Amino acid sequence: MHLGIALPFGDIGGDGPIVREFAQLAEAEGYEGLTLADHVLGGNPANPASGRAGGLGLFHDPFVAFGFIAACTKRVELSTQVLILAQRQTVLVAKQAASLDVLSGGRFRFGIGVGWNEMEFVGLNENFHNRGKRSEEQVQVMKALWANPYITFEGKWHRLQDAGINPLPPRKIPLWFGGHMDVTLQRIAKWGDGWIMLSEPPGPKAVAEFDKLRRLVEAEGRDPASVGLEVWTSTGTGTEKDWREEISFWKKEGVTHITLHNTFAGYHHKRMAGRSMTDHVNAMRRYRNAVADLL
């Protein structure tokens, strides 16, 4: 099982020395992946109209941050979890992803989602209301651009005439999807290399969702074993014994990736109490020491 850790810049800060120190410590401790979330705009928390987008906190641009981290590390995977694809220009994203994969030596795993923050779509001059369907076409355009020096593509939202990006990625960039609607599972079955599943704790409902995805993948003529499964965990609840039981459950059910995300508090997840660099480094070490023999 692949063990990653989310970069907690909202807690520890995002200056260059801090980013470098945490990334290098995580790699030295044996974590195999670093993950970053994506927000371009947050609302003023003093304005009630901002709603959920108010006071989002510190979010580095993932491509810029991972370009920096790629130069500070040697082995660790770099993964967006998730980048909001539909609020960005498709060809530019394909170029950025390819450049990052080249410069990192093939270490980029591309997690994408459709997003919820309409404020960002408005600010970036993209349509919030067709983002799901449009993202499907975006995926097809990106995959074609990564695989061929030049492509011709005629779609509803994209038109390319014998054009391509350079450099091309050194290999097939793994494309993972976040989200929990049935339509997300259908997209994964058609185009995805994995699913980042956050909505269900260990138990029969999570297993049922995994089985649903596997059936959809088979219906597309693909091998379900070729599609990875990722979940998040935290040191915010439980003890070492609980963490071991959780990871053992996920491993038994075919989960391939687990990310220690100590600042996420959505769904059933609880964030850790501490917010300092020392708190996060201690939690990082404590968790890996507890589960290392189970990976």
Side-chain angles (χ1 to χ4, degrees), residues 189 213-224:
L213 175 61
R214 291 179 180 118
R215 290 193 298 271
L216 291 169
V217 172
E218 285 183 334
E220 292 291 333
R222 301 175 62 201
D223 179 4

mmCIF file of all heavy atoms in Angstrom, residues 189 213-224:
data_model
loop_
_atom_site.group_PDB
_atom_site.id
_atom_site.type_symbol
_atom_site.label_atom_id
_atom_site.label_comp_id
_atom_site.label_asym_id
_atom_site.label_seq_id
_atom_site.Cartn_x
_atom_site.Cartn_y
_atom_site.Cartn_z
ATOM 1 N N ALA A 189 -14.493 4.832 -14.658
ATOM 2 C CA ALA A 189 -14.544 3.568 -15.394
ATOM 3 C C ALA A 189 -14.107 3.749 -16.841
ATOM 4 O O ALA A 189 -13.462 2.864 -17.424
ATOM 5 C CB ALA A 189 -15.954 2.990 -15.334
ATOM 6 N N LEU A 213 -17.845 0.494 -8.449
ATOM 7 C CA LEU A 213 -16.849 0.972 -9.402
ATOM 8 C C LEU A 213 -16.250 -0.187 -10.193
ATOM 9 O O LEU A 213 -16.080 -0.084 -11.413
ATOM 10 C CB LEU A 213 -15.741 1.734 -8.668
ATOM 11 C CG LEU A 213 -14.568 2.201 -9.537
ATOM 12 C CD1 LEU A 213 -15.036 3.151 -10.630
ATOM 13 C CD2 LEU A 213 -13.484 2.857 -8.684
ATOM 14 N N ARG A 214 -15.945 -1.264 -9.527
ATOM 15 C CA ARG A 214 -15.351 -2.405 -10.227
ATOM 16 C C ARG A 214 -16.301 -2.943 -11.303
ATOM 17 O O ARG A 214 -15.856 -3.318 -12.397
ATOM 18 C CB ARG A 214 -15.001 -3.494 -9.220
ATOM 19 C CG ARG A 214 -13.841 -3.103 -8.289
ATOM 20 C CD ARG A 214 -13.525 -4.174 -7.283
ATOM 21 N NE ARG A 214 -12.415 -3.791 -6.413
ATOM 22 C CZ ARG A 214 -12.510 -3.637 -5.092
ATOM 23 N NH1 ARG A 214 -13.675 -3.867 -4.485
ATOM 24 N NH2 ARG A 214 -11.458 -3.271 -4.389
ATOM 25 N N ARG A 215 -17.589 -2.985 -11.021
ATOM 26 C CA ARG A 215 -18.556 -3.442 -12.038
ATOM 27 C C ARG A 215 -18.581 -2.494 -13.234
ATOM 28 O O ARG A 215 -18.667 -2.934 -14.397
ATOM 29 C CB ARG A 215 -19.952 -3.561 -11.419
ATOM 30 C CG ARG A 215 -20.092 -4.698 -10.420
ATOM 31 C CD ARG A 215 -21.540 -4.969 -10.083
ATOM 32 N NE ARG A 215 -22.199 -3.830 -9.459
ATOM 33 C CZ ARG A 215 -22.226 -3.607 -8.144
ATOM 34 N NH1 ARG A 215 -21.615 -4.446 -7.318
ATOM 35 N NH2 ARG A 215 -22.870 -2.559 -7.656
ATOM 36 N N LEU A 216 -18.520 -1.191 -12.965
ATOM 37 C CA LEU A 216 -18.517 -0.211 -14.054
ATOM 38 C C LEU A 216 -17.249 -0.329 -14.894
ATOM 39 O O LEU A 216 -17.300 -0.200 -16.126
ATOM 40 C CB LEU A 216 -18.641 1.201 -13.480
ATOM 41 C CG LEU A 216 -19.986 1.569 -12.852
ATOM 42 C CD1 LEU A 216 -19.883 2.879 -12.082
ATOM 43 C CD2 LEU A 216 -21.066 1.677 -13.925
ATOM 44 N N VAL A 217 -16.121 -0.561 -14.241
ATOM 45 C CA VAL A 217 -14.864 -0.725 -14.969
ATOM 46 C C VAL A 217 -14.929 -1.955 -15.865
ATOM 47 O O VAL A 217 -14.516 -1.921 -17.044
ATOM 48 C CB VAL A 217 -13.685 -0.818 -13.986
ATOM 49 C CG1 VAL A 217 -12.395 -1.177 -14.722
ATOM 50 C CG2 VAL A 217 -13.507 0.491 -13.225
ATOM 51 N N GLU A 218 -15.459 -3.041 -15.347
ATOM 52 C CA GLU A 218 -15.617 -4.260 -16.153
ATOM 53 C C GLU A 218 -16.529 -4.023 -17.343
ATOM 54 O O GLU A 218 -16.277 -4.529 -18.443
ATOM 55 C CB GLU A 218 -16.170 -5.393 -15.283
ATOM 56 C CG GLU A 218 -15.154 -6.005 -14.341
ATOM 57 C CD GLU A 218 -15.724 -7.163 -13.553
ATOM 58 O OE1 GLU A 218 -16.959 -7.187 -13.347
ATOM 59 O OE2 GLU A 218 -14.945 -8.045 -13.144
ATOM 60 N N ALA A 219 -17.596 -3.253 -17.137
ATOM 61 C CA ALA A 219 -18.535 -2.967 -18.222
ATOM 62 C C ALA A 219 -17.885 -2.163 -19.344
ATOM 63 O O ALA A 219 -18.344 -2.217 -20.495
ATOM 64 C CB ALA A 219 -19.752 -2.211 -17.675
ATOM 65 N N GLU A 220 -16.822 -1.430 -19.017
ATOM 66 C CA GLU A 220 -16.070 -0.683 -20.025
ATOM 67 C C GLU A 220 -14.998 -1.541 -20.691
ATOM 68 O O GLU A 220 -14.211 -1.043 -21.498
ATOM 69 C CB GLU A 220 -15.424 0.547 -19.398
ATOM 70 C CG GLU A 220 -16.401 1.618 -18.953
ATOM 71 C CD GLU A 220 -17.087 2.307 -20.122
ATOM 72 O OE1 GLU A 220 -16.483 2.356 -21.215
ATOM 73 O OE2 GLU A 220 -18.217 2.789 -19.936
ATOM 74 N N GLY A 221 -14.945 -2.828 -20.334
ATOM 75 C CA GLY A 221 -13.958 -3.730 -20.918
ATOM 76 C C GLY A 221 -12.570 -3.580 -20.328
ATOM 77 O O GLY A 221 -11.582 -3.974 -20.953
ATOM 78 N N ARG A 222 -12.496 -3.043 -19.118
ATOM 79 C CA ARG A 222 -11.207 -2.830 -18.465
ATOM 80 C C ARG A 222 -11.081 -3.739 -17.240
ATOM 81 O O ARG A 222 -12.067 -4.201 -16.681
ATOM 82 C CB ARG A 222 -11.062 -1.368 -18.036
ATOM 83 C CG ARG A 222 -11.157 -0.368 -19.179
ATOM 84 C CD ARG A 222 -11.122 1.057 -18.641
ATOM 85 N NE ARG A 222 -9.861 1.325 -17.947
ATOM 86 C CZ ARG A 222 -9.690 2.299 -17.057
ATOM 87 N NH1 ARG A 222 -10.711 3.090 -16.725
ATOM 88 N NH2 ARG A 222 -8.523 2.475 -16.490
ATOM 89 N N ASP A 223 -9.854 -3.962 -16.821
ATOM 90 C CA ASP A 223 -9.578 -4.784 -15.657
ATOM 91 C C ASP A 223 -9.731 -3.937 -14.393
ATOM 92 O O ASP A 223 -9.003 -2.947 -14.225
ATOM 93 C CB ASP A 223 -8.158 -5.340 -15.753
ATOM 94 C CG ASP A 223 -7.775 -6.197 -14.551
ATOM 95 O OD1 ASP A 223 -8.628 -6.433 -13.677
ATOM 96 O OD2 ASP A 223 -6.603 -6.621 -14.497
ATOM 97 N N PRO A 224 -10.635 -4.282 -13.480
ATOM 98 C CA PRO A 224 -10.790 -3.494 -12.250
ATOM 99 C C PRO A 224 -9.495 -3.375 -11.447
ATOM 100 O O PRO A 224 -9.294 -2.375 -10.750
ATOM 101 C CB PRO A 224 -11.855 -4.269 -11.468
ATOM 102 C CG PRO A 224 -12.628 -5.016 -12.496
ATOM 103 C CD PRO A 224 -11.631 -5.365 -13.573
#
